[in-house]
Amino acid sequence: MNYKEFTKKSYGLEAKEVPLKPMTYSDVKEDIRVSDPTGSKKAYAKSYADVYKDTHRGAPDIKNEKPGEFTLSGKDEKLVADLVRDKWVDIEQQQANC
């Protein structure tokens, strides 16, 4: 057996060359930015995160807390964004009907 065959079959230098980790959907997806002029949507998202952060489902992180907007990142960010949007759409419709 020559050196080339030995290195191909052994765990020598090739084992140190770790291949790149394949990208998954969670690596590629972008965070969700929510506009919130009153601050009530952020409070609702924060309360959701406090309740579900220790469960197996998890909760998104709230990042970039600027006045008037915030960013959801992590597990279930789409769900929380939909809950926040739907809750305030329903409230606005109820106020318009009164």
Side-chain angles (χ1 to χ4, degrees):
M1 180 185 319
N2 64 16
Y3 181 74
K4 210 174 214 182
E5 292 173 358
F6 175 76
T7 56
K8 285 184 181 177
K9 292 182 181 180
S10 73
Y11 295 101
L13 297 174
E14 290 83 14
K16 293 179 184 176
E17 298 173 5
V18 178
L20 294 175
K21 179 181 159 190
M23 293 184 76
T24 61
Y25 176 71
S26 62
D27 296 335
V28 176
K29 72 178 179 178
E30 295 185 11
D31 298 338
I32 297 175
R33 182 176 297 156
V34 179
S35 62
D36 181 22
T38 61
S40 54
K41 291 180 183 179
K42 184 168 75 173
Y44 182 76
K46 216 174 242 193
S47 67
Y48 180 92
D50 290 341
V51 170
Y52 290 102
K53 67 181 174 187
D54 295 329
T55 63
H56 72 281
R57 182 171 190 133
D61 298 325
I62 298 176
K63 298 180 178 178
N64 299 334
E65 298 182 35
K66 299 176 186 174
E69 70 177 37
F70 62 95
T71 306
L72 295 171
S73 172
K75 288 185 167 187
D76 280 346
E77 62 189 18
K78 177 78 171 138
L79 172 71
V80 175
D82 288 343
L83 286 173
V84 168
R85 185 196 65 209
D86 292 343
K87 181 178 172 91
W88 268 263
V89 166
D90 291 342
I91 290 173
E92 289 172 359
Q93 287 176 352
Q94 288 174 359
Q95 290 174 352
N97 291 337
C98 291

XYZ file of all heavy atoms in Angstrom:
785
model
N 0.848 -1.166 0.000
C 0.000 0.000 0.000
C 0.906 1.245 0.000
O 1.765 1.384 0.842
C -0.874 -0.009 1.260
C -1.771 1.163 1.320
S -2.773 1.370 2.823
C -3.350 -0.196 3.284
N 0.667 2.118 -0.952
C 1.480 3.330 -1.000
C 0.857 4.419 -0.118
O -0.225 4.258 0.441
C 1.681 3.804 -2.442
C 0.387 4.212 -3.119
O -0.596 4.423 -2.458
N 0.405 4.299 -4.439
N 1.553 5.529 -0.001
C 1.138 6.600 0.897
C -0.208 7.201 0.515
O -1.034 7.503 1.371
C 2.216 7.687 0.921
C 1.884 8.827 1.846
C 1.964 8.683 3.224
C 1.466 10.042 1.337
C 1.641 9.722 4.060
C 1.151 11.093 2.167
C 1.236 10.926 3.537
O 0.916 11.951 4.368
N -0.466 7.341 -0.786
C -1.714 7.941 -1.240
C -2.913 7.087 -0.829
O -3.924 7.597 -0.345
C -1.666 8.107 -2.753
C -2.456 9.259 -3.277
C -2.226 9.417 -4.743
C -2.264 10.884 -5.074
N -2.106 11.146 -6.481
N -2.816 5.794 -1.011
C -3.907 4.903 -0.608
C -4.081 4.904 0.910
O -5.190 4.838 1.418
C -3.641 3.487 -1.102
C -3.709 3.346 -2.592
C -3.278 1.965 -3.035
O -2.899 1.132 -2.204
O -3.329 1.737 -4.235
N -2.970 4.963 1.620
C -3.025 4.980 3.081
C -3.769 6.217 3.602
O -4.610 6.110 4.487
C -1.614 4.939 3.664
C -1.576 5.076 5.151
C -1.923 4.015 5.972
C -1.206 6.276 5.745
C -1.912 4.152 7.339
C -1.190 6.410 7.104
C -1.535 5.349 7.920
N -3.478 7.363 3.028
C -4.143 8.580 3.500
C -5.608 8.619 3.104
O -6.422 9.200 3.805
C -3.442 9.839 2.970
O -3.391 9.779 1.554
C -2.063 9.985 3.551
N -5.966 7.999 2.007
C -7.378 7.965 1.616
C -8.178 7.066 2.540
O -9.345 7.326 2.827
C -7.525 7.489 0.174
C -7.134 8.534 -0.833
C -7.374 8.054 -2.230
C -6.953 9.132 -3.215
N -7.102 8.688 -4.588
N -7.556 5.987 3.011
C -8.273 5.041 3.854
C -8.148 5.372 5.333
O -8.918 4.892 6.138
C -7.743 3.625 3.604
C -8.095 3.123 2.225
C -7.609 1.722 2.013
C -7.946 1.260 0.610
N -7.491 -0.081 0.351
N -7.177 6.175 5.700
C -6.978 6.484 7.117
C -7.749 7.731 7.505
O -8.329 8.418 6.672
C -5.496 6.691 7.389
O -5.083 7.917 6.843
N -7.727 8.018 8.769
C -8.363 9.217 9.292
C -7.298 10.247 9.631
O -7.358 10.904 10.643
C -9.206 8.886 10.532
C -10.350 7.990 10.213
C -10.298 6.642 10.490
C -11.489 8.499 9.618
C -11.343 5.810 10.190
C -12.550 7.678 9.316
C -12.471 6.333 9.606
O -13.512 5.523 9.293
N -6.350 10.399 8.782
C -5.248 11.315 9.010
C -5.635 12.746 8.742
O -6.499 13.321 9.393
N -5.049 13.352 7.762
C -5.266 14.762 7.461
C -6.691 15.040 6.981
O -7.232 16.107 7.234
C -4.267 15.234 6.403
C -2.798 15.168 6.810
C -1.923 15.520 5.623
C -2.531 16.095 7.976
N -7.313 14.090 6.320
C -8.653 14.310 5.787
C -9.675 14.503 6.901
O -10.664 15.197 6.740
C -9.096 13.154 4.889
C -8.360 13.076 3.582
C -7.026 12.362 3.722
O -6.794 11.712 4.761
O -6.210 12.482 2.812
N -9.428 13.883 8.049
C -10.382 14.020 9.152
C -10.379 15.443 9.706
O -11.364 15.898 10.264
C -10.050 13.035 10.260
N -9.277 16.153 9.553
C -9.215 17.523 10.044
C -9.958 18.487 9.129
O -10.335 19.570 9.537
C -7.758 17.961 10.185
C -7.024 17.209 11.257
C -5.599 17.655 11.352
C -4.856 16.820 12.379
N -3.440 17.165 12.415
N -10.162 18.092 7.895
C -10.886 18.925 6.942
C -12.376 18.643 7.067
O -12.918 17.782 6.408
C -10.403 18.651 5.527
C -8.942 18.973 5.319
C -8.453 18.533 3.959
O -9.285 18.061 3.149
O -7.261 18.635 3.712
N -13.026 19.356 7.926
C -14.440 19.141 8.183
C -15.240 19.814 7.075
O -15.037 20.991 6.783
C -14.832 19.728 9.555
C -16.312 19.554 9.816
C -14.001 19.107 10.648
N -16.152 19.076 6.431
C -16.948 19.705 5.373
C -17.895 20.747 5.954
O -18.266 20.705 7.124
C -17.724 18.536 4.772
C -17.737 17.493 5.821
C -16.481 17.682 6.623
N -18.286 21.698 5.132
C -19.203 22.739 5.561
C -20.552 22.148 5.933
O -21.021 21.200 5.301
C -19.393 23.765 4.451
C -18.163 24.582 4.088
C -18.478 25.457 2.887
C -17.733 25.423 5.256
N -21.153 22.716 6.934
C -22.478 22.287 7.358
C -23.491 22.748 6.313
O -23.477 23.912 5.907
C -22.795 22.935 8.702
C -24.141 22.593 9.254
C -24.333 23.320 10.563
C -25.793 23.410 10.883
N -26.077 24.277 11.994
N -24.357 21.851 5.854
C -25.340 22.283 4.849
C -26.301 23.298 5.448
O -26.666 23.225 6.615
C -26.071 20.990 4.480
C -25.762 20.024 5.556
C -24.481 20.447 6.189
N -26.691 24.263 4.642
C -27.596 25.303 5.111
C -29.002 24.741 5.241
O -29.460 23.974 4.399
C -27.584 26.482 4.150
C -26.264 27.208 4.129
S -26.276 28.655 3.101
C -27.170 29.770 4.152
N -29.667 25.121 6.291
C -31.039 24.699 6.512
C -31.962 25.899 6.333
O -31.508 27.028 6.164
C -31.206 24.134 7.935
O -30.879 25.164 8.880
C -30.309 22.938 8.159
N -33.245 25.642 6.415
C -34.217 26.727 6.252
C -34.053 27.783 7.342
O -34.169 28.971 7.087
C -35.640 26.161 6.283
C -36.688 27.219 6.207
C -36.918 27.921 5.029
C -37.448 27.557 7.318
C -37.868 28.908 4.962
C -38.407 28.547 7.257
C -38.610 29.219 6.075
O -39.559 30.206 6.016
N -33.756 27.336 8.557
C -33.619 28.304 9.653
C -32.399 29.200 9.465
O -32.362 30.313 9.985
C -33.539 27.580 10.995
O -32.407 26.743 11.031
N -31.391 28.736 8.721
C -30.226 29.578 8.449
C -30.537 30.632 7.389
O -29.943 31.706 7.388
C -29.047 28.733 7.949
C -28.562 27.764 9.000
O -28.769 28.029 10.200
O -27.973 26.738 8.623
N -31.464 30.325 6.494
C -31.730 31.177 5.345
C -32.845 32.190 5.608
O -32.798 33.314 5.127
C -32.091 30.311 4.115
C -32.467 31.165 2.927
C -30.934 29.402 3.776
N -33.838 31.793 6.396
C -35.012 32.660 6.559
C -34.645 33.972 7.236
O -33.721 34.059 8.037
C -36.100 31.945 7.342
C -35.803 31.762 8.802
C -36.955 31.094 9.490
C -36.597 30.913 10.965
N -37.656 30.330 11.701
N -35.393 34.985 6.906
C -35.141 36.314 7.448
C -36.046 36.575 8.645
O -37.089 35.964 8.791
C -35.384 37.362 6.370
C -34.416 37.257 5.220
C -34.593 38.375 4.216
O -35.317 39.339 4.524
O -34.005 38.281 3.150
N -35.634 37.504 9.465
C -36.430 37.889 10.623
C -37.635 38.719 10.170
O -37.637 39.287 9.088
C -35.578 38.708 11.587
C -34.400 37.903 12.113
O -34.473 36.664 12.088
O -33.410 38.515 12.538
N -38.633 38.783 11.023
C -39.863 39.506 10.695
C -39.881 40.828 11.455
O -39.770 40.854 12.680
C -41.097 38.660 11.054
C -41.102 37.380 10.221
C -42.373 39.462 10.828
C -42.204 36.415 10.577
N -40.018 41.919 10.724
C -40.088 43.254 11.318
C -41.557 43.644 11.457
O -42.333 43.531 10.509
C -39.351 44.258 10.445
C -39.353 45.651 11.045
C -38.545 46.605 10.242
N -37.158 46.148 10.247
C -36.277 46.455 9.312
N -36.636 47.208 8.301
N -35.046 46.014 9.383
N -41.922 44.098 12.649
C -43.301 44.484 12.938
C -43.308 45.957 13.308
O -42.552 46.395 14.177
C -43.869 43.649 14.111
C -45.294 44.063 14.418
C -43.796 42.167 13.810
N -44.159 46.738 12.627
C -44.283 48.155 12.989
C -45.330 48.290 14.085
O -46.380 47.650 14.048
C -44.665 48.984 11.767
O -45.913 48.568 11.282
N -45.014 49.116 15.067
C -45.859 49.228 16.240
C -45.768 50.642 16.813
O -44.953 50.904 17.695
C -45.415 48.199 17.276
C -46.255 48.211 18.527
O -47.396 48.682 18.461
O -45.765 47.745 19.561
N -46.589 51.574 16.327
C -46.485 52.948 16.812
C -46.912 53.120 18.268
O -46.417 53.993 18.961
C -47.397 53.735 15.875
C -48.235 52.742 15.179
C -47.547 51.421 15.256
N -47.812 52.281 18.768
C -48.320 52.453 20.131
C -47.545 51.663 21.177
O -47.602 51.987 22.353
C -49.794 52.036 20.209
O -49.896 50.651 19.861
C -50.643 52.866 19.278
N -46.872 50.586 20.783
C -46.133 49.752 21.737
C -46.941 48.591 22.281
O -46.418 47.761 23.011
N -48.213 48.504 21.930
C -49.052 47.422 22.462
C -48.756 46.082 21.793
O -48.879 45.039 22.428
C -50.527 47.779 22.314
O -50.809 48.105 20.978
N -48.353 46.107 20.534
C -48.016 44.857 19.850
C -46.764 44.240 20.462
O -46.680 43.030 20.638
C -47.791 45.108 18.355
C -49.038 45.476 17.599
C -48.726 45.696 16.138
C -49.938 46.142 15.367
N -49.644 46.370 13.954
N -45.795 45.079 20.795
C -44.564 44.579 21.408
C -44.860 43.988 22.783
O -44.300 42.962 23.152
C -43.522 45.679 21.510
C -42.197 45.182 22.052
C -41.086 46.180 21.886
C -41.209 47.298 22.858
N -40.087 48.219 22.851
N -45.754 44.604 23.516
C -46.133 44.087 24.836
C -46.803 42.724 24.701
O -46.535 41.807 25.496
C -47.052 45.076 25.540
N -47.660 42.571 23.686
C -48.326 41.287 23.458
C -47.307 40.229 23.065
O -47.345 39.103 23.569
C -49.394 41.436 22.370
C -50.156 40.167 22.106
C -51.140 39.735 22.976
C -49.884 39.395 20.980
C -51.837 38.564 22.740
C -50.573 38.234 20.737
C -51.542 37.815 21.616
O -52.222 36.650 21.379
N -46.375 40.568 22.171
C -45.342 39.610 21.747
C -44.435 39.236 22.917
O -44.034 38.079 23.061
C -44.522 40.197 20.606
N -44.133 40.204 23.773
C -43.293 39.939 24.936
C -43.998 39.015 25.921
O -43.380 38.111 26.496
C -42.926 41.248 25.618
C -41.549 41.275 26.185
C -41.206 42.648 26.701
C -40.036 43.147 25.905
N -39.391 44.308 26.463
N -45.292 39.214 26.120
C -46.038 38.343 27.030
C -46.128 36.924 26.473
O -46.030 35.953 27.219
C -47.433 38.910 27.304
O -48.218 38.879 26.141
N -46.287 36.794 25.143
C -46.281 35.469 24.514
C -44.935 34.795 24.737
O -44.866 33.622 25.094
C -46.568 35.585 23.012
C -46.567 34.252 22.298
C -47.743 33.534 22.151
C -45.389 33.705 21.786
C -47.748 32.307 21.505
C -45.392 32.483 21.150
C -46.567 31.787 21.011
O -46.570 30.574 20.389
N -43.847 35.533 24.551
C -42.504 34.971 24.716
C -42.270 34.560 26.166
O -41.651 33.515 26.422
C -41.454 35.975 24.264
N -42.744 35.343 27.120
C -42.568 34.995 28.528
C -43.294 33.706 28.890
O -42.789 32.897 29.670
C -43.063 36.128 29.433
C -42.161 37.347 29.372
O -40.996 37.204 28.937
O -42.622 38.442 29.754
N -44.470 33.502 28.319
C -45.253 32.306 28.634
C -44.647 31.065 27.990
O -44.529 30.018 28.628
C -46.721 32.484 28.171
C -47.492 31.182 28.267
C -47.396 33.567 28.989
N -44.217 31.159 26.741
C -43.815 29.977 25.992
C -42.308 29.759 25.886
O -41.871 28.827 25.224
C -44.408 30.027 24.585
C -45.906 29.833 24.596
C -46.765 30.916 24.467
C -46.463 28.586 24.769
C -48.139 30.758 24.494
C -47.825 28.406 24.802
C -48.663 29.487 24.659
O -50.009 29.315 24.694
N -41.478 30.577 26.526
C -40.032 30.452 26.347
C -39.471 29.162 26.928
O -38.479 28.647 26.426
C -39.309 31.653 26.935
C -39.385 31.760 28.434
C -38.665 32.984 28.921
C -38.881 33.133 30.420
N -38.346 34.370 30.916
N -40.066 28.604 27.971
C -39.547 27.393 28.604
C -40.237 26.125 28.137
O -39.967 25.049 28.672
C -39.677 27.515 30.126
C -38.800 28.624 30.676
O -37.739 28.883 30.077
O -39.178 29.228 31.702
N -41.107 26.203 27.155
C -41.792 25.015 26.651
C -40.986 24.386 25.523
O -40.015 24.963 25.037
C -43.199 25.380 26.130
O -43.057 26.269 25.022
C -44.032 26.034 27.213
N -41.400 23.208 25.098
C -40.700 22.537 23.993
C -40.898 23.279 22.677
O -40.089 23.173 21.776
C -41.179 21.092 23.864
C -42.567 20.965 23.318
N -43.690 21.164 24.097
C -43.015 20.690 22.076
C -44.772 21.003 23.347
N -44.398 20.711 22.118
N -41.952 24.050 22.590
C -42.218 24.788 21.354
C -41.288 25.991 21.202
O -40.852 26.317 20.115
C -43.669 25.256 21.339
C -44.026 25.980 20.075
C -45.502 26.230 19.994
N -45.799 26.711 18.668
C -46.773 26.276 17.919
N -47.567 25.343 18.372
N -46.975 26.765 16.726
N -40.987 26.654 22.283
C -40.099 27.809 22.243
C -40.829 29.079 21.858
O -42.018 29.074 21.540
N -40.108 30.169 21.899
C -40.679 31.474 21.580
C -39.632 32.309 20.863
O -38.438 32.106 21.052
C -41.132 32.171 22.851
N -40.067 33.245 20.027
C -39.099 34.071 19.302
C -38.441 35.111 20.207
O -38.986 35.490 21.243
C -39.947 34.749 18.228
C -41.302 34.819 18.826
C -41.437 33.567 19.653
N -37.270 35.547 19.789
C -36.583 36.628 20.483
C -37.047 37.955 19.891
O -37.330 38.048 18.709
C -35.071 36.516 20.303
C -34.525 35.226 20.892
O -35.066 34.786 21.922
O -33.568 34.675 20.317
N -37.111 38.963 20.730
C -37.460 40.310 20.264
C -36.167 41.096 20.164
O -35.473 41.295 21.152
C -38.454 40.980 21.219
C -39.748 40.167 21.261
C -38.730 42.406 20.780
C -40.761 40.676 22.244
N -35.835 41.506 18.934
C -34.592 42.223 18.674
C -34.900 43.609 18.124
O -36.014 43.875 17.681
C -33.739 41.472 17.645
C -33.308 40.097 18.083
C -32.479 39.456 17.005
C -31.978 38.095 17.424
N -31.207 37.465 16.356
N -33.885 44.450 18.095
C -33.981 45.795 17.502
C -35.212 46.545 17.992
O -36.042 46.987 17.210
C -34.002 45.712 15.971
C -32.755 45.084 15.429
O -31.706 45.126 16.057
N -32.854 44.488 14.258
N -35.314 46.675 19.291
C -36.475 47.353 19.872
C -36.322 48.867 19.702
O -35.866 49.557 20.586
C -36.606 46.970 21.339
C -36.829 45.494 21.550
C -36.999 45.144 23.005
O -37.577 45.941 23.750
O -36.548 44.070 23.395
N -36.710 49.340 18.551
C -36.685 50.776 18.264
C -38.072 51.351 18.533
O -39.054 50.620 18.532
C -36.318 51.012 16.798
C -34.967 50.479 16.410
C -34.745 50.671 14.933
C -33.451 50.014 14.496
N -33.286 50.076 13.040
N -38.167 52.636 18.753
C -39.500 53.238 18.904
C -40.305 53.068 17.616
O -39.871 53.460 16.550
C -39.208 54.712 19.176
C -37.785 54.760 19.622
C -37.105 53.593 18.994
N -41.457 52.434 17.738
C -42.331 52.273 16.588
C -42.161 50.972 15.838
O -42.950 50.674 14.945
N -41.160 50.169 16.163
C -41.000 48.878 15.485
C -40.112 47.956 16.312
O -39.380 48.385 17.190
C -40.400 49.054 14.093
C -38.963 49.486 14.072
C -38.412 49.561 12.664
O -39.154 49.970 11.763
O -37.245 49.217 12.492
N -40.226 46.660 16.025
C -39.360 45.657 16.630
C -39.235 44.493 15.660
O -39.970 44.397 14.680
C -39.888 45.201 18.000
C -41.247 44.538 17.963
C -41.359 43.166 17.904
C -42.397 45.288 17.989
C -42.599 42.563 17.878
C -43.644 44.700 17.972
C -43.742 43.322 17.916
N -38.275 43.603 15.926
C -37.997 42.480 15.033
C -38.133 41.181 15.805
O -37.595 41.050 16.905
C -36.578 42.593 14.452
O -36.438 43.867 13.839
C -36.316 41.507 13.431
N -38.844 40.215 15.225
C -38.982 38.888 15.803
C -38.004 37.947 15.113
O -37.911 37.930 13.891
C -40.401 38.366 15.619
C -41.491 39.133 16.353
C -42.856 38.645 15.895
C -41.337 38.956 17.839
N -37.292 37.147 15.904
C -36.310 36.223 15.355
C -36.323 34.937 16.162
O -36.347 34.971 17.387
C -34.916 36.861 15.416
O -33.946 35.929 15.058
N -36.295 33.807 15.483
C -36.206 32.527 16.175
C -37.431 31.670 15.946
O -38.128 31.788 14.940
N -37.679 30.795 16.909
C -38.776 29.839 16.787
C -40.124 30.547 16.785
O -40.355 31.461 17.563
C -38.752 28.855 17.952
C -37.646 27.861 17.906
C -37.809 26.885 19.033
C -36.904 25.689 18.841
N -37.174 24.666 19.829
N -41.005 30.101 15.927
C -42.394 30.576 15.850
C -42.530 32.078 15.630
O -43.510 32.685 16.042
C -43.170 30.184 17.113
C -43.627 28.742 17.079
O -43.586 28.142 15.993
O -44.028 28.222 18.125
N -41.564 32.683 14.957
C -41.665 34.121 14.702
C -42.847 34.434 13.798
O -43.530 35.438 13.989
C -40.373 34.652 14.096
C -40.030 34.034 12.767
C -38.655 34.404 12.277
O -37.823 34.847 13.050
O -38.436 34.243 11.061
N -43.119 33.572 12.832
C -44.240 33.785 11.907
C -45.570 33.680 12.654
O -46.477 34.479 12.433
C -44.152 32.760 10.768
C -45.276 32.822 9.780
C -45.087 33.967 8.833
C -46.116 33.875 7.727
N -46.694 35.137 7.401
N -45.672 32.714 13.560
C -46.900 32.537 14.336
C -47.181 33.768 15.199
O -48.295 34.287 15.216
C -46.795 31.300 15.226
C -47.939 31.104 16.220
C -49.205 30.716 15.490
C -47.572 30.078 17.255
N -46.163 34.249 15.888
C -46.360 35.408 16.763
C -46.692 36.649 15.937
O -47.561 37.435 16.313
C -45.116 35.640 17.645
C -45.255 36.909 18.456
C -44.898 34.453 18.557
N -46.042 36.818 14.793
C -46.343 37.961 13.934
C -47.782 37.889 13.438
O -48.481 38.914 13.402
C -45.377 38.005 12.757
N -48.237 36.693 13.073
C -49.631 36.542 12.637
C -50.604 36.807 13.783
O -51.651 37.436 13.589
C -49.866 35.148 12.070
C -49.206 34.946 10.719
O -48.854 35.962 10.073
O -49.030 33.784 10.309
N -50.282 36.315 14.982
C -51.157 36.561 16.136
C -51.263 38.047 16.441
O -52.354 38.566 16.682
C -50.618 35.822 17.372
C -50.790 34.314 17.411
C -50.052 33.736 18.607
C -52.251 33.942 17.469
N -50.138 38.728 16.425
C -50.130 40.163 16.711
C -50.919 40.912 15.649
O -51.747 41.763 15.955
C -48.674 40.679 16.793
C -48.631 42.193 16.792
C -47.997 40.135 18.030
N -50.684 40.583 14.386
C -51.378 41.279 13.295
C -52.878 41.009 13.347
O -53.688 41.933 13.273
C -50.818 40.822 11.947
C -51.422 41.590 10.783
C -51.176 40.912 9.483
N -51.893 39.639 9.520
C -51.512 38.557 8.868
N -50.449 38.567 8.145
N -52.206 37.438 8.952
N -53.279 39.734 13.505
C -54.696 39.385 13.518
C -55.409 39.988 14.722
O -56.541 40.450 14.610
C -54.878 37.870 13.517
C -54.429 37.243 12.206
O -54.279 37.982 11.211
O -54.213 36.016 12.179
N -54.753 39.994 15.873
C -55.379 40.553 17.071
C -55.673 42.033 16.873
O -56.751 42.507 17.189
C -54.475 40.340 18.277
C -55.053 40.876 19.567
C -54.120 40.570 20.719
C -54.572 41.249 21.967
N -55.440 40.497 22.794
N -54.735 42.771 16.299
C -54.951 44.214 16.131
C -55.842 44.536 14.945
O -56.513 45.544 14.949
C -53.607 44.945 16.066
C -53.260 45.367 17.456
C -53.489 46.585 17.994
C -52.732 44.566 18.493
N -53.105 46.593 19.321
C -52.640 45.365 19.649
C -52.329 43.244 18.583
C -52.154 44.887 20.856
C -51.839 42.767 19.786
C -51.765 43.591 20.904
N -55.917 43.691 13.954
C -56.870 43.879 12.862
C -58.282 43.718 13.404
O -59.177 44.507 13.095
C -56.594 42.887 11.705
C -57.754 42.843 10.736
C -55.324 43.264 10.988
N -58.483 42.698 14.273
C -59.806 42.496 14.870
C -60.200 43.670 15.755
O -61.340 44.119 15.738
C -59.825 41.201 15.694
C -59.726 39.958 14.830
O -59.977 40.065 13.614
O -59.397 38.886 15.364
N -59.278 44.198 16.533
C -59.579 45.332 17.414
C -59.929 46.564 16.586
O -60.877 47.291 16.900
C -58.389 45.614 18.359
C -58.270 44.490 19.392
C -58.543 46.955 19.051
C -57.043 44.565 20.260
N -59.183 46.801 15.506
C -59.464 47.960 14.652
C -60.821 47.826 13.975
O -61.546 48.806 13.826
C -58.358 48.117 13.614
C -57.050 48.588 14.206
C -55.912 48.548 13.201
O -56.152 48.137 12.054
O -54.795 48.904 13.583
N -61.178 46.617 13.564
C -62.495 46.408 12.948
C -63.613 46.618 13.942
O -64.646 47.204 13.614
C -62.583 45.005 12.355
C -61.768 44.821 11.096
C -61.811 43.389 10.582
O -62.340 42.502 11.250
N -61.230 43.172 9.413
N -63.414 46.175 15.187
C -64.418 46.378 16.209
C -64.597 47.858 16.518
O -65.716 48.329 16.714
C -64.048 45.625 17.482
C -64.187 44.130 17.372
C -63.677 43.415 18.610
O -63.202 44.045 19.540
N -63.782 42.090 18.604
N -63.512 48.614 16.529
C -63.597 50.043 16.798
C -64.275 50.772 15.643
O -64.968 51.740 15.844
C -62.201 50.629 17.046
C -61.598 50.166 18.348
C -60.160 50.636 18.518
O -59.561 51.182 17.602
N -59.614 50.409 19.711
N -64.059 50.290 14.411
C -64.682 50.921 13.255
C -66.191 50.646 13.233
O -66.971 51.484 12.756
C -64.035 50.402 11.976
N -66.614 49.491 13.723
C -68.036 49.141 13.721
C -68.815 49.864 14.816
O -70.030 49.959 14.760
C -68.214 47.619 13.882
C -67.745 46.875 12.657
O -67.689 47.420 11.561
N -67.388 45.611 12.834
N -68.150 50.357 15.826
C -68.859 51.027 16.943
C -69.332 52.395 16.571
O -68.962 53.152 15.868
C -67.949 51.105 18.167
S -67.670 49.477 18.877
